[in-house]
Amino acid sequence: MKLLLAVLLVAALAATPVFAAENRCGWLQNPTPANWWLDDAEGSWTIMSQGGGEGPEGMDLIPDISERDYVATNGNYGYACACMKVETDDADGTITQILSFKQLALSKCENDGNLTSPQ
């Protein structure tokens, strides 16, 4: 019986997704209300989609990006360069939690050969 419980516990733990904090840096885009994503060297990560709820825990860590180095593309909306410590769901390309946020100079992303310009 103990062996069976141990096997079931190991199986349950193996089936549980393991989330680890990742540092992701790239173009933080907010082109329209409630639409946010981060494009880094590995791809595009959805943070929030209009009509999809309030976004992940930690969304409040992202300040008004237009107050720093930023490109306006649609009225008050646009993009910036940022690094974020996040947890992701690789299966659907979403950021599930934001642990920290730092906005960088646009030149940091512009000079990163691994990033595609948002324009």
Side-chain angles (χ1 to χ4, degrees):
M1 186 59 134
K2 288 182 182 180
L3 179 59
L4 177 61
L5 287 174
V7 168
L8 290 174
L9 178 61
V10 168
L13 290 174
T16 303
V18 176
F19 296 107
E22 308 168 26
N23 287 317
R24 297 209 166 270
C25 298
W27 293 111
L28 177 68
Q29 300 192 54
N30 175 221
T32 54
N35 288 308
W36 290 86
W37 65 85
L38 179 74
D39 291 333
D40 70 4
E42 293 183 21
S44 188
W45 300 92
T46 301
I47 300 170
M48 177 179 199
S49 296
Q50 192 171 42
E54 295 184 22
E57 182 179 339
M59 190 69 193
D60 59 322
L61 296 174
I62 300 176
D64 179 354
I65 61 173
S66 69
E67 293 180 355
R68 293 205 166 109
D69 211 1
Y70 160 85
V71 175
T73 58
N74 180 24
N76 295 328
Y77 300 95
Y79 63 89
C81 184
C83 281
M84 303 169 69
K85 189 170 193 174
V86 298
E87 291 184 357
T88 62
D89 182 340
D90 291 347
D92 65 3
T94 60
I95 290 177
T96 58
Q97 184 174 8
I98 300 168
L99 303 168
S100 67
F101 176 87
K102 181 175 182 180
Q103 191 165 338
L104 306 172
L106 291 172
S107 61
K108 183 77 171 169
C109 287
E110 290 168 343
N111 295 326
D112 186 334
N114 297 311
L115 299 176
T116 302
S117 178
Q119 298 179 348

